[in-house]
């Protein structure tokens, strides 16, 4: 109670101080929840793919002209459902081009809330002349250079170890560096270079004599006659419903219960800091009439754990796993860097006939060294070998207010996988979604992201049911239930299991200045639980419930206040019982027509352990966000500020810190810090010309 009182006293002081600490980039509460769920689903690993943020800000500068936008263009916004897009295309075909954006209110299924969400990213205008557009592509766009540096202020154990007495240490500096140059002309032509160095990696010396640890370059052009997309360098591939290939950011279960369908262009440019989820080579998409065809080829080095073969039994060299962290700090991590070579090629052929879409997808991989995982029961059906692939057909059909979609896939080892979904607009204020998936235990894939409970589509069968009800324009009730089973063993789960997930959320947003939602979530998953170290690991279900209330209030045009309270109960009646609690308040300040803005947050958290951990989205510098995991007991605060030095130059600064109540060290292994606090400082510059 003492800590909570202290928290509110500090909040009162901050709230009543006219501090100029604003917020530059703010996501919607729905997007924040989706990103939090994504981090939790990916075992606390935050995504480094900021293409989504880049894309939405680019659409603000160069809005989509809805008079000539294709179905694919509208899908890229990730705001509209398949039924809403279908209704709009039919409306435009019947009525003709729009004169004013407010005509969208006449489109069936488009309510005021939808139009408000999409309004910043669209426009109504006459189409640009193709010849003129091509002539301006190389000279009429915007150049930008982004530089970012961040560092933990406290020195971790890995930097203190005597290099003469140990081989396991961090030889590089503690700074993380990121640089990106990009040229963009109205989403029709872009090219650029990315360079990145993680904390602990060397820079222009040792194992990194070329400077940065990771380099990426790309050229991406759209709408050149029959060529719809042309990718040279680094790019991502997205096909079907994510069973065969899906490299771009994609959300799973969340508050937007009808956002269950994967929708994106097959080829997308890649210019983010992540070092794994992209192809390096050439890709092209061509379209004519109702047909569209994509082909791509890629060759790149990938990180892997290398193992020498046994010559006595004529065993070749192999790798035991692929590494996806992107870290190349210690000697062992540097040894794993680019040890395997990956050749990938594939394509997509699709046909669109009014309400029907059919597509065929294929991808094939070939590696220098075969993959051979450790001999464990749960690895019996794991990905293995030197050559493998995935092949599928995806499909969709729209009729009035019904939209059916799915993908049927098979691996090169002939294991099948299916995902089928149905979206129904029951009434103007009621939408429903259903997703059924049945993925065999032997179906394995690389760089995929389907609508599943697991992070990768394998060994899962389940049914998702969601409903969204809007009794009035101010209220939205969203709920879903997901039932799933795993027919084979998994890591830390020594038996086939079942699970369930239930969520109900009530949103109240009467106007643009006030929004509040409250959410209850209950889930049950099974895991090995063996505190007494008996011979056989018992597998028991461990239920978890969580309740959250989140409020956003725009006090005036300059100041926005946000607060959240959340409680978690893990295995409430079981032997592994844990509880968790989180409370924060956030004040953003963004004065009109002023060059500065920013925000500040104060937070208290207390949990009994890692199983009762919590997550909270944090605002960061432009094109970035942070979603820390909170467990144990302590405080966290952060301050963001940004200043437009000139029309072309903007600077951001951020400081964040954990302060733990009962710890003498923070972190583990080489990342261990002496003391009870951990501080990160970040600085970013963006120059446009």
């Amino acid at each position: 109670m003492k800590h909570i009182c202290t928290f509110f006293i500090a909040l009162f002081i901050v709230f009543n101080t006219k501090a100029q600490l604003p917020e530059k980039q703010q996501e919607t509460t729905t997007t924040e929840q989706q990103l939090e769920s994504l981090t939790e689903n990916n075992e606390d690993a935050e995504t480094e793919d900021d293409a989504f943020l880049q894309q939405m800000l680019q659409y603000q500068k160069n809005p989509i002209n809805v008079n000539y936008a294709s179905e694919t263009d509208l899908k890229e916004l990730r705001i509209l459902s398949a039924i809403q897009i279908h209704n709009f295309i039919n409306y435009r075909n019947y009525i003709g081009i729009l004169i004013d954006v407010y005509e969208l209110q006449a489109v069936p299924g488009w309510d005021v809330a939808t139009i408000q969400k999409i309004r910043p990213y669209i426009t109504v205008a006459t189409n640009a002349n193709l010849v003129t557009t091509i002539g301006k592509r190389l000279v009429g766009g915007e150049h930008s250079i982004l530089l970012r540096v961040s560092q933990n202020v406290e020195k971790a154990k890995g930097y203190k170890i005597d290099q003469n007495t140990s081989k396991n240490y961090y030889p590089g500096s503690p700074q993380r560096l990121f640089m990106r140059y990009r040229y963009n002309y109205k989403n029709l032509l872009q090219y650029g270079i990315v360079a990145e160095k993680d904390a602990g990696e060397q820079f222009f010396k040792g194992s990194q004599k070329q400077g940065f640890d990771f380099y990426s370059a790309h050229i991406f052009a759209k709408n050149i006659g029959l060529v719809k997309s042309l990718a040279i360098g680094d790019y991502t591939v997205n096909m079907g419903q994510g069973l065969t290939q899906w490299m771009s950011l994609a959300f799973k279960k969340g508050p937007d219960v009808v956002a269950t369908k994967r929708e994106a262009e097959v080829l997308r440019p890649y210019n983010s800091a992540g070092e794994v989820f992209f192809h390096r080579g050439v890709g092209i998409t061509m379209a004519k009439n109702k047909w569209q065809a994509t082909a791509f080829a890629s060759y790149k080095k990938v990180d892997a754990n290398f193992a020498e073969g046994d010559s006595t039994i004529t065993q070749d060299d192999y790798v035991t796993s692929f590494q996806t962290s992107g870290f190349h700090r210690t000697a062992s991590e540097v040894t794993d860097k680019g040890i395997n070579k990956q050749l990938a090629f594939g394509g997509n052929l699709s046909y669109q006939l009014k309400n029907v879409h059919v597509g065929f997808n294929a991808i094939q991989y070939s590696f220098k060294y075969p993959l051979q995982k450790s001999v464990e029961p749960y690895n019996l059906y794991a990905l293995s070998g030197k050559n493998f692939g995935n092949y599928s057909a995806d499909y969709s059909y729209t009729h009035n207010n019904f939209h059916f979609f799915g993908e049927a896939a098979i691996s090169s080892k002939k294991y099948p996988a299916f995902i089928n979904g149905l979206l129904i607009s029951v009434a103007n204020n009621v939408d429903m979604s259903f997703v059924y998936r049945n993925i065999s235990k032997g179906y394995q894939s690389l760089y995929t992201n389907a609508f599943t409970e697991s992070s990768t589509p394998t060994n899962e069968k389940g049914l998702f049911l969601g409903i969204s009800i809007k009794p009035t324009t101010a209220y939205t009730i969203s709920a879903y239930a997901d039932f799933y089973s795993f027919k084979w063993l998994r890591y830390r789960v020594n038996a086939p299991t079942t699970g369930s997930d239930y969520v109900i959320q009530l949103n109240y947003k009467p106007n643009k200045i006030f929004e509040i939602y409250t959410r209850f979530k209950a889930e049950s998953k099974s895991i090995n639980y063996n505190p007494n170290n008996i011979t056989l690991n018992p597998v028991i279900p461990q239920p978890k419930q969580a309740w959250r209330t989140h409020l956003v209030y725009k006090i005036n045009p300059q100041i926005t206040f946000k607060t959240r309270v959340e409680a978690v109960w893990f295995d409430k009646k079981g032997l592994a019982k844990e509880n968790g609690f989180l409370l924060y308040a956030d004040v953003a300040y963004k004065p009109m027509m002023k060059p500065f803005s920013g925000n500040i947050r104060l937070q208290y958290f207390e949990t009994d352990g890692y199983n009762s951990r919590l997550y909270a989205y944090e605002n960061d510098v432009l094109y970035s966000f942070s979603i820390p995991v909170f467990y144990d007991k302590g405080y966290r605060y952060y301050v963001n500020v940004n200043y437009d030095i000139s029309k072309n130059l903007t600077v951001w600064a951020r400081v964040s810190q954990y302060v733990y109540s009962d710890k003498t060290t923070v972190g583990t292994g080489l990342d261990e810090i002496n003391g009870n606090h951990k501080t990160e400082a970040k600085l970013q510059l963006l120059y446009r010309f």
Side-chain angles (χ1 to χ4, degrees):
M1 181 61 69
K2 176 182 177 182
H3 294 302
I4 296 176
C5 291
T6 304
F7 176 87
F8 276 108
I9 292 171
L11 170 62
F12 179 82
I13 294 172
V14 171
F15 189 75
N16 287 277
T17 301
K18 295 182 180 179
Q20 299 174 349
L21 299 171
E23 184 176 51
K24 180 72 173 181
Q25 176 178 295
Q26 181 177 354
E27 306 305 318
T28 65
T29 56
T30 297
T31 304
E32 289 180 5
Q33 292 183 77
Q34 289 171 323
L35 290 168
E36 289 166 351
S37 298
L38 186 66
T39 302
E40 183 176 7
N41 187 262
N42 290 340
E43 300 177 350
D44 303 344
E46 294 182 35
T47 178
E48 293 184 286
D49 185 358
D50 65 350
F52 171 68
L53 299 177
Q54 292 185 63
Q55 185 181 46
M56 299 313 289
L57 288 172
Q58 189 61 38
Y59 281 136
Q60 288 182 7
K61 295 179 182 179
N62 299 287
I64 292 176
N65 185 355
V66 294
N67 276 331
Y68 299 93
S70 66
E71 181 179 344
T72 301
D73 294 332
L74 297 174
K75 288 177 181 178
E76 287 291 289
L77 294 174
R78 307 191 196 194
I79 297 174
L80 303 171
S81 70
I83 295 175
Q84 288 173 321
I85 294 174
H86 173 76
N87 288 344
F88 170 75
I89 298 295
N90 283 347
Y91 177 86
R92 190 179 63 186
N93 290 339
Y94 181 74
I95 299 296
I97 64 172
L98 280 67
I99 304 300
D100 191 276
V101 70
Y102 295 104
E103 290 184 59
L104 293 171
Q105 297 179 71
V107 179
W110 286 54
D111 56 13
V112 175
T114 299
I115 297 172
Q116 288 177 346
K117 288 180 183 178
I118 200 174
R119 183 65 185 89
Y121 311 111
I122 62 170
T123 187
V124 173
T126 58
N127 198 17
N129 180 271
L130 181 61
V131 176
T132 303
T133 301
I134 292 176
K136 290 182 178 179
R137 289 189 185 192
L138 294 174
V139 296
E142 180 185 75
H143 301 264
S144 65
I145 298 175
L146 185 146
L147 302 173
R148 183 188 303 156
V149 57
S150 60
Q151 176 183 340
N152 287 331
V153 176
E154 300 85 1
K155 185 172 286 189
K157 180 180 178 180
Y159 301 102
K160 298 178 180 179
I161 295 175
D162 187 349
Q163 301 180 11
N164 297 318
T165 60
S166 176
K167 294 183 179 180
N168 193 29
Y169 60 91
Y170 294 155
S173 65
Q175 292 83 30
R176 182 182 181 187
L177 306 176
F178 178 75
M179 184 277 290
R180 176 164 59 210
Y181 162 75
R182 188 177 69 155
Y183 172 85
N184 191 300
Y185 177 78
K186 295 185 178 180
N187 302 313
L188 294 174
L189 172 67
Q190 76 171 63
Y191 56 83
I193 299 173
V194 168
E196 189 253 6
K197 167 202 171 300
D198 288 307
E201 294 175 343
Q202 293 180 296
F203 192 56
F204 283 108
K205 64 179 181 179
S207 61
Q208 308 293 349
K209 290 185 172 59
Q210 292 76 33
F212 290 92
D213 171 68
F214 173 70
Y215 289 95
S216 173
H218 76 283
I219 301 173
F220 195 86
K222 295 177 64 176
N223 300 337
I224 309 173
L226 294 178
V227 178
K228 186 175 182 180
S229 300
L230 174 64
I232 302 173
D234 293 349
Y235 58 92
T236 61
V237 174
N238 311 284
M239 298 189 292
Q241 289 302 303
L243 290 176
T244 305
Q245 186 92 148
W246 199 278
M247 294 176 138
S248 297
L249 181 69
F251 299 127
K252 299 197 177 188
K253 292 177 287 188
D256 191 353
V257 297
V258 296
T260 54
K261 184 184 179 183
R262 296 283 183 263
E263 295 186 295
E265 292 189 89
V266 178
L267 297 178
R268 278 180 169 176
Y270 186 80
N271 60 345
S272 299
E275 302 179 28
V276 178
F277 292 94
F278 65 91
H279 284 304
R280 178 164 289 175
V282 178
I284 186 170
T285 297
M286 303 186 71
K288 186 174 183 180
N289 299 328
K290 304 296 183 180
W291 291 92
Q292 178 175 296
T294 298
F296 61 90
S298 167
Y299 176 80
K300 68 174 184 176
K301 297 179 180 180
V302 295
D303 297 355
N305 287 329
F306 178 76
E308 291 186 358
D310 189 344
S311 59
T312 61
I313 57 174
T314 64
Q315 182 186 32
D316 294 331
D317 296 338
Y318 62 97
V319 296
T320 58
S321 65
F322 295 123
Q323 295 298 314
T324 59
S325 69
F327 292 136
H328 305 115
R329 305 161 299 184
T330 64
S332 60
E333 290 172 346
V334 171
T335 300
D336 292 341
K337 181 181 179 180
I339 194 69
N340 212 354
K341 296 178 176 61
Q342 172 190 291
L343 173 65
F345 56 91
N348 161 269
L349 177 65
S350 63
Y351 180 75
Q352 181 76 41
L353 179 61
K354 199 174 181 180
N355 299 344
V356 178
H357 165 87
V358 178
F360 299 95
N361 314 289
I363 187 165
Q364 187 70 31
Y365 297 97
S366 179
F367 291 88
K368 178 181 179 180
Y369 299 114
L371 176 63
Q372 182 179 320
K373 295 197 173 183
S374 59
V375 181
E376 298 286 350
Y378 62 82
N379 277 335
L380 181 61
Y381 296 95
L383 195 65
S384 63
K386 194 174 182 179
N387 302 285
F388 42 82
N390 301 87
Y391 325 99
S392 74
D394 68 276
Y395 38 84
S396 66
Y397 172 71
T398 305
H399 178 70
N400 294 332
N401 293 330
F402 292 80
H403 181 76
F404 172 74
F405 63 92
E407 182 178 14
I410 190 169
S411 67
S412 53
K413 293 186 178 181
K414 299 182 180 179
Y415 287 101
F418 301 91
I419 285 186
N420 291 292
L422 180 64
L423 304 177
I424 307 175
S425 183
V426 180
N428 288 334
N429 61 340
V430 180
D431 295 300
M432 299 180 69
S433 62
F434 305 86
V435 178
Y436 172 77
R437 68 265 191 195
N438 191 346
I439 306 168
S440 62
K441 57 191 175 184
Y443 184 84
Q444 301 292 343
S445 56
L446 278 177
Y447 313 124
T448 49
N449 187 353
F451 192 84
T452 55
E453 169 65 23
S454 301
S455 56
T456 56
T458 183
N459 183 34
E460 182 173 330
K461 183 178 181 180
L463 176 64
F464 172 92
L465 307 97
I467 185 169
S468 175
I469 305 172
K470 298 179 180 178
T472 68
T473 56
Y475 286 96
T476 302
I477 302 171
S478 303
Y480 71 75
D482 189 30
F483 309 95
Y484 49 87
S485 62
F486 306 105
K487 299 302 182 183
W488 187 246
L489 286 60
R490 296 179 298 137
Y491 177 64
R492 296 181 61 204
V493 185
N494 290 356
T497 58
T498 60
S500 59
D501 193 356
Y502 304 89
V503 168
I504 183 167
Q505 178 169 312
L506 172 64
N507 280 67
Y508 176 63
K509 188 176 182 180
N511 47 51
K512 294 182 179 181
I513 66 173
F514 182 83
E515 179 180 6
I516 185 172
Y517 74 80
T518 187
R519 184 186 80 183
F520 179 77
K521 181 177 181 179
E523 60 180 326
S524 178
K525 295 181 181 179
S526 297
I527 195 169
N528 294 346
Y529 183 70
N530 191 8
N532 298 320
N533 295 318
I534 61 178
T535 304
L536 295 177
N537 273 322
V539 178
I540 63 171
Q542 293 185 325
K544 179 181 178 182
Q545 296 86 35
W547 170 74
R548 171 193 294 180
T549 296
H550 183 101
L551 180 146
V552 181
Y553 177 52
K554 198 171 184 65
I555 299 171
N556 57 44
Q558 291 80 37
I559 300 175
T560 302
F561 172 71
K562 294 195 296 185
T563 185
R564 174 186 295 183
V565 59
E566 184 167 8
V568 171
W569 302 271
F570 179 83
D571 201 19
K572 192 173 183 179
K573 298 180 180 179
L575 298 175
K577 178 181 177 181
E578 289 186 15
N579 296 326
F581 175 78
L582 178 150
L583 173 68
Y584 76 66
D586 188 300
V587 178
Y589 181 66
K590 191 178 188 307
M592 300 291 291
M593 307 301 292
K594 299 292 184 180
F596 51 85
S597 61
N599 74 307
I600 184 171
R601 175 177 295 181
L602 299 174
Q603 177 173 305
Y604 173 77
F605 60 93
E606 181 175 348
T607 78
D608 295 328
Y610 182 74
N611 288 328
S612 52
R613 64 194 180 277
L614 300 111
Y615 301 83
Y617 175 96
E618 294 184 352
N619 294 104
D620 209 306
V621 299
L622 186 68
Y623 300 130
S624 184
F625 56 85
S626 178
I627 305 176
V629 54
F630 299 99
Y631 58 95
D632 294 333
K633 182 179 180 180
Y635 298 88
R636 179 170 170 85
Y637 70 86
Y638 70 83
V639 178
N640 292 326
V641 294
N642 89 279
Y643 188 82
D644 296 325
I645 298 174
S646 67
K647 182 180 178 181
N648 304 97
L649 181 62
T650 304
V651 61
W652 289 262
R654 186 179 198 264
V655 175
S656 60
Q657 185 179 61
Y658 288 98
V659 181
Y660 292 93
S661 302
D662 50 4
K663 281 189 173 186
T664 56
T665 61
V666 179
T668 59
L670 296 181
D671 294 321
E672 183 180 277
I673 295 171
N674 290 327
N676 70 333
H677 53 82
K678 180 180 179 181
T679 311
E680 183 191 45
K682 185 179 293 186
L683 181 68
Q684 176 171 292
L685 296 172
L686 178 63
Y687 180 63
R688 304 181 183 92
F689 58 99

